[in-house]
Amino acid sequence: MPQPERGAGPAGPGRAGRFRSGLSRTRRWGPGTWTAIVVLPLAIAVWLLSLRGVPLDRMGDLGLLQVLPKLFWVAPALLTLGFCVAATDRRTSHGCFAAYVLSLIAVIHATPPLLYPELRYAWGWKHVAVVEAMLRHDGTVPGAGGFDIYNQWPGFFELNAVLVRAIGLESPLGYAAWAQPIFNLLMLGPLLLLYRSITNDRRLIWGAVWIYYACSWVAQDYFAPQAFAFLLFMCVMALVVKQLAPFGPRGKVTTRRRWPRGLLILVLILEAAIVSSHPLTPMMLISALLLLSLPRRNRRVVLPALAGAIVLTAVWNSTVARPYMAENLNHLIGALARPEANIWSGVARLGDAAPGQIMAAWVERGLSAGVLLLAATGFIARRWTRRTPLPLLMLAPLLPGVANAYGGEMVFRAYMFALPAAAFLIAALLFPPRKRLRVRMPVVYVLLLAMLGSLAIGYYCKEAENYFTADEAAATRYVTTRTPTGSLIISVTFAAPGLEMRYDQHQDMQIDEENLTNRRMLVKDPVAGLEPLIARAEKNPVYILLNRAQAAAVDLSGAMPTDFMGRLNSALSRSPDFTVAYRNEDAVVYRYDGPEIR
């Protein structure tokens, strides 16, 4: 049976042969390659033309899906078609495939920053606030309160502080909006290194890359420590698998090499950066290396990297991160006794969400289940994949998954860490090496298009609350910079751009995070319901921030009645105890001027 392992194919030409083949490359391209070359610029032109005049203010419970013009959706359909046509031609070059993948990254991830006037995601703003605070304090931020966890895992933030100083900016806000296309572009490096360590078949390599980007719906690629740590995790995995390769033709496993000293030092540096930047990713790293060390033939390579990850994590958690570990140790131990709850926490919480959000949640689940099913089918149907490390890498996230719920997000993070390996197993099923693909390509095209459509639903359906206008940013800037130090800032939800700016000088509180009793009081009488929250200010000034994105978040999540924002705004405007401190078209800030509440 033909095998796709590295070195299994025919020997490449020598230097003279490579020179001659370079001169005649265009002659060797087939009709599939030429068709792909024609389709690509057409798809890019259609995409750019579709972004003119998008009515962002009309977004509802399906976010960007309902305001992007029909012309926009022609672009990913053309890209998928061109990629599939290119894959039917064995002579298609790496460069052609790379151009298609880069275009796919642009269409998916560059669309929001091209359309939006401000940084996307409230969490992205939160991480910008942490970097700015570390810049002001030249390191650890005193009086951080609930933000102290970032002092204990500061790697990502300190790196950005260094970068901001180096390029002469005052804040990372200028480039944070482009974090998603940048992180996804950088991810291409370790993905290619990983897949090229398994096979030299171009269609299989780039098919796996395409499937990865078409199914990566979890959206943990914004300006965040998780995105940075995941990128480094993939770099470590790619280097380890590269060191394990080649896997040998027809089941014969070659002797594993020892680590070159410089490469092992690089792996340890990457591991140190992961350990200092994010609490979850080191657990995923240790789990992956632990499973890779099970086959005896791998241990000479894997054990040094595994030992480094374990030692670095243990040292960090017992020193810098000791306050967090000591405070949460009982919770972490208790979570070990609830593996089924850890895996499924966060999956079934649809509650009173908007219909569009419920539909999107089921699409996301269907895509995730489909990916796992197709990967399992690839593992069964392509027996040669069983000799690679990819099945172990796909299973590795399950170990941390059963150990901790991670705030209800563990099942999504486990999918994210398993996806690179799953994408290759799916590609092995859909793009079998050394076989003609023209007959099966219509089916593959429909399947890839379904993946991409499901990704778009999961990726864009919450944009009504993730998108912020310039007026919303101005209102938040006012309440965080123009109010007295120590002020309490109350908002209905977390959906406000820069709510945590200067978090070491202000307090903030979200109504939708209050217990059920308090929320019922607020729904019954908004002004009277605010009294227990205002009392927590302890004589400090109190401000209420309401904006368009919070109203959208309430509609999408169902955490509060859909009319609550309007009723709260109306009640505050009529109450003599509240004064409008700032107002614009998309936001309003009220100041509490009533009697002291104890």
Side-chain angles (χ1 to χ4, degrees):
M1 184 178 70
Q3 305 293 330
E5 292 86 349
R6 287 189 62 84
R15 290 185 179 179
R18 284 196 299 270
F19 178 73
R20 288 193 295 270
S21 68
L23 293 177
S24 60
R25 183 175 299 160
T26 56
R27 299 176 190 172
R28 294 188 293 109
W29 285 347
T33 303
W34 284 112
T35 303
I37 291 174
V38 172
V39 169
L40 181 61
L42 176 62
I44 296 299
V46 167
W47 169 58
L48 293 174
L49 286 173
S50 72
L51 299 183
R52 299 181 303 170
V54 177
L56 298 176
D57 58 331
R58 298 181 188 174
M59 284 193 286
D61 64 348
L62 286 177
L64 273 178
L65 297 178
Q66 63 195 93
V67 298
L68 286 171
K70 295 178 181 178
L71 187 63
F72 173 87
W73 304 108
V74 175
L78 284 174
L79 284 177
T80 307
L81 177 63
F83 182 85
C84 289
V85 171
T88 62
D89 190 346
R90 296 181 181 178
R91 293 165 291 185
T92 301
S93 66
H94 284 291
C96 183
F97 284 124
Y100 267 89
V101 169
L102 293 174
S103 300
L104 180 67
I105 293 172
V107 169
I108 297 172
H109 301 289
T111 293
L114 286 173
L115 291 177
Y116 297 175
E118 301 290 341
L119 173 64
R120 181 191 191 197
Y121 286 132
W123 281 91
W125 284 88
K126 180 177 184 177
H127 298 144
V128 168
V130 176
V131 176
E132 290 188 357
M134 289 187 174
L135 283 168
R136 284 187 283 107
H137 293 281
D138 199 23
T140 301
V141 181
F147 284 68
D148 192 52
I149 188 173
Y150 298 119
N151 288 333
Q152 298 173 51
W153 279 278
F156 169 77
F157 304 104
E158 292 284 12
L159 176 63
N160 277 276
V162 171
L163 179 61
V164 167
R165 290 193 185 101
I167 59 182
L169 297 177
E170 295 182 358
S171 165
L173 197 58
Y175 61 81
W178 292 92
Q180 286 174 292
I182 291 172
F183 274 127
N184 282 280
L185 180 62
L186 293 176
M187 184 62 71
L188 188 56
L191 286 175
L192 287 175
L193 179 58
L194 175 65
Y195 298 153
R196 295 184 73 168
S197 299
I198 306 297
T199 180
N200 56 10
D201 187 280
R202 289 194 295 267
R203 297 184 301 186
L204 181 52
I205 292 168
W206 288 102
V209 171
W210 183 277
I211 291 168
Y212 170 81
Y213 285 113
C215 297
S216 184
W217 67 265
V218 179
Q220 288 296 318
D221 49 7
Y222 62 99
F223 187 73
Q226 174 66 95
F228 175 68
F230 181 55
L231 174 63
L232 299 184
F233 168 89
M234 285 304 303
C235 290
V236 172
M237 290 299 102
L239 290 172
V240 169
V241 173
K242 175 68 174 177
Q243 195 64 19
L244 291 174
F247 299 96
R250 293 175 175 82
K252 294 182 180 180
V253 180
T254 58
T255 303
R256 303 310 186 202
R257 297 173 292 174
R258 295 182 182 275
W259 282 102
R261 182 178 301 176
L263 198 57
L264 180 58
I265 292 174
L266 174 60
V267 168
L268 294 176
I269 291 174
L270 292 173
E271 290 180 343
I274 292 171
V275 167
S276 65
S277 297
H278 197 251
L280 173 64
T281 307
M283 301 299 103
M284 293 292 188
L285 177 64
I286 292 171
S287 177
L289 293 173
L290 183 63
L291 288 190
L292 287 180
S293 69
L294 294 181
R296 182 176 298 178
R297 63 182 182 270
N298 292 350
R299 292 174 185 171
R300 184 181 297 179
V301 169
V302 177
L303 287 181
L306 175 60
I310 292 173
V311 170
L312 288 168
T313 302
V315 170
W316 189 270
N317 289 350
S318 61
T319 55
V320 180
R322 185 176 179 179
Y324 176 86
M325 299 304 295
E327 182 179 348
N328 293 275
L329 185 60
N330 290 336
H331 173 73
L332 296 173
I333 294 175
L336 296 174
R338 304 187 303 272
E340 74 290 342
N342 296 332
I343 284 290
W344 296 112
S345 65
V347 173
R349 297 182 305 182
L350 295 179
D352 298 320
Q357 296 301 296
I358 295 175
M359 182 271 291
W362 283 108
V363 170
E364 294 164 356
R365 296 173 188 183
L367 176 60
S368 303
V371 165
L372 299 179
L373 180 60
L374 286 171
T377 305
F379 173 78
I380 295 171
R382 309 294 181 228
R383 296 175 60 184
W384 61 267
T385 61
R386 305 174 195 179
R387 299 193 304 274
T388 72
L390 296 178
L392 294 175
L393 290 179
M394 184 175 165
L395 293 174
L398 291 179
L399 296 182
V402 300
N404 197 288
Y406 202 68
E409 295 187 8
M410 182 56 79
V411 65
F412 308 126
R413 303 298 175 95
Y415 172 85
M416 179 178 75
F417 279 88
L419 182 58
F424 187 92
L425 295 176
I426 297 172
L429 179 68
L430 302 183
F431 301 93
R434 302 178 185 178
K435 291 186 179 180
R436 294 185 178 274
L437 300 180
R438 291 182 182 178
V439 175
R440 69 174 65 202
M441 197 49 67
V443 176
V444 173
Y445 173 70
V446 172
L447 189 57
L448 295 184
L449 206 57
M451 292 178 180
L452 206 51
S454 301
L455 169 77
I457 292 174
Y459 209 66
Y460 291 148
C461 68
K462 293 184 181 294
E463 292 310 287
E465 67 173 287
N466 294 332
Y467 152 70
F468 301 112
T469 66
D471 280 345
E472 289 176 286
T476 312
R477 192 177 305 114
Y478 169 85
V479 80
T480 56
T481 62
R482 302 285 296 277
T483 56
T485 299
S487 296
L488 171 63
I489 303 170
I490 299 175
S491 59
V492 177
T493 77
F494 183 61
L499 185 63
E500 297 80 12
M501 292 297 183
R502 299 185 177 271
Y503 60 87
D504 53 320
Q505 300 176 10
H506 297 91
Q507 311 170 60
D508 68 86
M509 182 185 305
Q510 283 75 55
I511 288 174
D512 67 341
E513 295 181 357
E514 290 294 305
N515 58 48
L516 184 59
T517 301
N518 286 354
R519 280 185 285 154
R520 285 176 174 172
M521 289 176 58
L522 283 157
V523 170
K524 183 178 180 180
D525 185 338
V527 173
L530 282 173
E531 291 183 1
L533 280 62
I534 294 172
R536 300 177 199 173
E538 299 178 352
K539 300 182 180 181
N540 288 317
V542 177
Y543 293 84
I544 317 294
L545 170 64
L546 307 178
N547 63 347
R548 180 209 57 83
Q550 290 182 60
V554 167
D555 291 340
L556 296 182
S557 68
M560 302 293 290
T562 54
D563 65 343
F564 175 72
M565 285 281 293
R567 291 177 55 238
L568 176 61
N569 186 26
S570 178
L572 294 179
S573 66
R574 295 194 307 266
S575 173
D577 294 336
F578 292 89
T579 303
V580 174
Y582 182 91
R583 184 192 295 275
N584 59 37
E585 186 175 347
D586 291 324
V588 60
V589 177
Y590 290 97
R591 182 180 65 245
Y592 177 70
D593 292 328
E596 180 182 334
I597 300 175
R598 296 185 181 275

